Amino acid sequence: MFDKILIANRGEIACRVIATCRRLGIATVAVYSDADRGARHVRLADEAIHIGPAPAAESYLRGEAILEAARRTGAQAIHPGYGFLSENAGFARACMDAGIVFIGPPASAIEAMGDKSAAKALMQQAGVPLTPGYHGQRQEPAFLRAQADAIGYPVLIKASAGGGGKGMRRVEAGADFEAALASCQREAQSAFGNAHVLVEKYIERPRHIEIQVFGDSHGEVVHLFERDCSVQRRHQKVLEEAPAPGMTPERRAAMGKAATDAARAVGYVGAGTVEFIAAPSGEFWFMEMNTRLQVEHPVTELITGTDLVEWQLRVAAGQRLPRTQAQLAIHGHAIEARLYAEDADRGFLPSTGVLRHLRLPQAGTHVRVDAGVEQGDAISPWYDPMIAKLVVWDADRDGALRRMRQALAQCEVVGVVTNAGFLHRLVATTAFRQADLDTALIERERDALDIRHHAATEADWALAAVLAVEESSPAQADASPWAIADGWRLAGPAARPVTLEHLQQQRTLQVQRQADGWQVRIGDERMPVTGSAGGGGYALQIADALFRGSVVRDGDTLHVFGDTGQRRFTLHDPVADADGSGDHGGSLLAPMPGRVIALLAEPGSKVARGTPLLVMEAMKMEHTLQAPADGVVTGYRVRGGDQVGDGAVLVDFEAD
């Protein structure tokens, strides 16, 4: 085994590798960019080396800088995590040439599977079933359009060197092909340095099922069963679970054999994932192989009782696989949700900022939390906006679902917008509860997931009004009646007006203290509220319901956390609202920090609502900003290539 390893990554995977190494008595070296100087993985490692500025291309993607850090610190091996250099054959070969162990597959296997077109040709030779499509080298737009026409729509354009949903577009009709191809190639070039694409038939109602494989240098290859990763948005995984619901033993055996055949075909060593598209009929086709550990590997660990990072270290040190295929078995059910700093109610736009308040579920037998950040850390625009992975386990799927709902309700984040509420609604949908899974589930459940269908009830408004009064009351230094800020007047307690906004609805409520609690007036309705509220927590009885949870006030925003998740209310000050100095009129503002990629409309042109006006890139993904209404684009304030901040004015727009 190794004495010291360097981790060429950041975030939760770097923290996870450090934890496993600490358990095994292995010293660790972290690398960090300017943006990660105080990051959690840097604080946890035994040593830390600075490798460059914030952009990944100038830090985490600089193989020579990482090798130099390994040489300086005497690290015997490098763990690449996932993303960045984890599937870079040149880096794997450079490690070997430098006499440093690359904790991953050999460069030849990465090369064989790194190009999706070449990989599919190799899989065809190995007898692994393939999705119909064009996987060749020709890239002329007209030729690719002709291939798509011949395949039949809908088709999927995919970056040959891609992954993680980047450089991928579904095309419904030939008229949309050229624009989708150009966008796909731009994104692929930006994310992977390679604009090459392939075109495949889009399988209707497909499930995305992947098989975890592991090989050692002694010729042994095993699979650790399947994960169902069908719940996706823009081809990026949102929920993952193991085992796959409805999987028969016969189908599991067939997919496991296909996956291990694929691994043996390239002489695979280490952790890898063979991904398949599966049809409702039970047919399945090879999609790609990820030659690294996957973000969703914890669900496999929980159902098999393994530590796959430890397996990686042992195999890289030349040891045999810890278990044979016959010794591996499935126990229980596990589900993973990815908690991101993103606004699901605004098109999943990334959110950046400092985590001023962060409380995640307590880890234990049934709950695991893999986090790369702590309270006080920042979510920057430079990297993936993941806050944590929530992973739950129980004896069966129904039990795991209950655990996941509880875990999501216990997530408290202030400082950035998160997808916790969206995830809570998602796991509660009828389709997910009944395991009616396919990659279009989120789109099919759009209405059920729409936040507008989960607006605050009258009791929620009353709860928020009471908490707003309590959170804004000054702390009492003594028990003197002159120090009690309860709104008492000679003629009786005064009602305090509280103006709140939630989901663009604004209401003014009257809150009056009483001996046993509060009375809240909403229009003509009066609601008694009893219980306790203060110190950041509450237990309040409203009508026949008991509300328990915590509350955090952040400026003018009140974050109310409870059993059903989080609600945000904006507190309005009538004096401040009268000041219109921050009004930008008809301007289109940047929804997040990023780089302007393209301007899509001519200044002075008349456009319809929803017309694409500008393309931004943030966190390696393209985001298209659309006209908010019918009107005229009067001008642009930016040019292609400009880096802009959150809220920057991009387009001057005059609505009809």
Side-chain angles (χ1 to χ4, degrees):
M1 190 59 79
F2 307 108
D3 296 320
K4 180 186 289 188
I5 72 165
L6 181 144
I7 304 156
N9 216 293
R10 62 177 305 280
E12 51 82 23
I13 182 58
C15 296
R16 167 68 206 288
V17 176
I18 291 169
T20 296
C21 287
R22 184 172 293 167
R23 180 169 57 79
L24 297 174
I26 301 172
T28 54
V29 180
V31 294
Y32 64 92
S33 69
D34 287 347
D36 280 339
R37 282 188 182 277
R40 185 168 185 256
H41 74 282
V42 175
R43 300 193 297 268
L44 290 176
D46 298 298
E47 300 176 64
I49 302 293
H50 177 251
I51 53 170
E58 301 175 39
S59 51
Y60 295 105
L61 290 172
R62 291 181 60 216
E64 184 49 48
I66 291 171
L67 282 169
E68 177 57 27
R71 285 189 286 261
R72 283 172 54 191
T73 57
Q76 301 154 296
I78 293 176
H79 193 298
Y82 36 71
F84 295 139
L85 295 171
S86 62
E87 295 182 282
N88 186 304
F91 180 68
R93 190 170 287 110
C95 289
M96 182 181 67
D97 293 343
I100 297 172
V101 175
F102 177 77
I103 302 176
S108 58
I110 297 175
E111 286 173 335
M113 289 299 189
D115 185 304
K116 288 184 174 63
S117 296
K120 286 179 182 288
L122 184 62
M123 292 301 99
Q124 192 169 31
Q125 295 174 12
V128 178
L130 300 179
T131 309
Y134 176 72
H135 310 125
Q137 296 302 308
R138 292 187 62 178
Q139 294 292 290
E140 309 94 293
F143 176 80
L144 292 176
R145 162 72 187 274
Q147 299 303 305
D149 292 344
I151 294 167
Y153 296 94
V155 299
L156 199 62
I157 307 174
K158 298 170 62 176
S160 184
K166 300 179 180 69
M168 189 178 295
R169 298 288 186 276
R170 175 178 171 172
V171 185
E172 298 289 344
D176 304 324
F177 187 86
E178 283 82 359
L181 175 64
S183 178
C184 187
Q185 289 176 325
R186 268 198 316 270
E187 197 168 272
Q189 183 65 44
S190 174
F192 315 112
N194 185 344
H196 191 281
V197 300
L198 50 86
V199 182
E200 291 183 340
K201 177 66 178 174
Y202 183 84
I203 306 300
E204 298 290 348
R205 296 211 65 176
R207 286 175 69 175
H208 181 140
I209 296 177
E210 58 188 34
I211 307 291
Q212 176 72 61
V213 296
F214 233 105
D216 64 22
S217 56
H218 303 276
E220 291 297 320
V221 178
V222 300
H223 69 83
L224 290 90
F225 314 109
E226 79 281 354
R227 298 186 286 257
D228 194 311
C229 304
S230 300
V231 184
Q232 303 178 3
R233 186 193 66 81
R234 288 186 64 182
H235 308 290
Q236 288 190 301
K237 299 165 188 174
V238 178
L239 298 173
E240 302 95 11
E241 57 184 307
M247 177 68 75
T248 64
E250 296 77 17
R251 189 176 179 188
R252 177 175 291 125
M255 296 185 80
K257 181 180 184 303
T260 51
D261 286 348
R264 289 190 180 95
V266 294
Y268 202 81
V269 176
T273 304
V274 183
E275 304 198 8
F276 296 95
I277 285 292
S281 64
E283 291 181 281
F284 62 90
W285 301 274
F286 173 83
M287 185 167 58
E288 64 185 15
M289 182 175 187
N290 289 300
T291 53
R292 54 175 168 81
L293 202 62
Q294 290 275 78
V295 178
E296 57 273 17
H297 74 273
V299 293
T300 295
E301 293 181 324
L302 291 184
I303 67 164
T304 57
T306 57
D307 182 334
L308 297 184
V309 173
E310 180 179 341
W311 279 39
Q312 285 186 298
L313 298 173
R314 293 193 180 282
V315 166
Q319 298 180 15
R320 291 186 177 275
L321 289 171
R323 295 191 203 172
T324 65
Q325 190 70 62
Q327 293 172 321
L328 290 164
I330 296 173
H331 303 283
H333 199 95
I335 304 174
E336 176 180 303
R338 305 183 187 198
L339 182 65
Y340 277 111
E342 63 182 13
D343 192 342
D345 305 321
R346 294 177 62 207
F348 296 90
L349 293 174
S351 177
T352 59
V354 175
L355 298 169
R356 292 188 289 277
H357 174 84
L358 177 64
R359 185 179 298 167
L360 298 174
Q362 184 68 39
T365 303
H366 294 277
V367 179
R368 168 173 161 178
V369 179
D370 286 6
V373 293
E374 294 174 337
Q375 185 167 302
D377 289 345
I379 302 295
S380 80
W382 298 106
Y383 314 115
D384 185 272
M386 183 185 287
I387 296 172
K389 297 185 306 195
L390 307 180
V391 197
V392 298
W393 177 91
D394 213 311
D396 56 29
R397 189 174 189 267
D398 287 343
L401 270 172
R402 288 192 297 271
R403 301 280 182 189
M404 180 55 76
R405 287 195 293 269
Q406 293 167 0
L408 288 167
Q410 292 167 5
C411 292
E412 300 180 11
V413 185
V414 174
V416 297
V417 181
T418 77
N419 64 339
F422 172 81
L423 293 171
H424 197 278
R425 299 191 295 273
L426 179 58
V427 298
T429 59
T430 301
F432 189 73
R433 285 189 288 106
Q434 295 181 351
D436 182 14
L437 306 176
D438 63 74
T439 58
L441 184 148
I442 290 178
E443 182 65 23
R444 285 192 287 110
E445 296 288 331
R446 183 191 303 175
D447 287 343
L449 295 171
D450 193 326
I451 185 63
R452 291 172 296 183
H453 296 162
H454 300 268
T457 64
E458 298 292 271
D460 291 324
W461 284 97
L463 171 66
V466 169
L467 294 175
V469 168
E470 292 305 303
E471 289 299 309
S472 61
S473 298
Q476 297 178 16
D478 57 58
S480 165
W482 310 110
I484 300 175
D486 62 355
W488 182 87
R489 298 294 184 272
L490 188 61
R496 176 171 170 179
V498 179
T499 302
L500 301 171
E501 182 179 338
H502 174 68
L503 298 183
Q504 299 182 327
Q505 181 184 9
Q506 185 171 309
R507 305 175 78 171
T508 297
L509 300 83
Q510 303 290 331
V511 180
Q512 183 174 310
R513 291 180 186 273
Q514 296 186 328
D516 60 345
W518 305 262
Q519 185 181 86
V520 180
R521 191 168 76 245
I522 308 176
D524 295 330
E525 183 180 359
R526 297 175 185 269
M527 301 184 71
V529 180
T530 58
S532 61
Y538 63 88
L540 296 174
Q541 183 85 25
I542 305 175
D544 296 328
L546 178 63
F547 294 79
R548 293 181 183 272
S550 59
V551 58
V552 177
R553 180 168 179 176
D554 184 34
D556 292 332
T557 303
L558 196 70
H559 300 264
V560 182
F561 303 98
D563 292 339
T564 58
Q566 175 184 1
R567 294 196 187 279
R568 294 194 303 274
F569 292 86
T570 301
L571 282 68
H572 280 275
D573 182 338
V575 175
D577 289 348
D579 178 8
S581 58
D583 186 13
H584 291 284
S587 299
L588 199 64
L589 308 182
M592 69 277 182
R595 185 167 64 93
V596 177
I597 299 296
L599 310 180
L600 304 178
E602 289 294 328
S605 59
K606 187 174 178 61
V607 296
R609 183 179 184 273
T611 300
L613 301 183
L614 180 145
V615 179
M616 286 183 64
E617 180 188 60
M619 298 176 180
K620 300 181 183 177
M621 295 290 286
E622 286 192 2
H623 305 271
T624 301
L625 277 62
Q626 301 174 338
D630 295 348
V632 176
V633 178
T634 56
Y636 286 96
R637 304 264 190 112
V638 292
R639 295 177 297 180
D642 285 356
Q643 192 77 31
V644 298
D646 187 9
V649 180
L650 305 177
V651 185
D652 289 325
F653 183 82
E654 184 177 318
D656 289 346

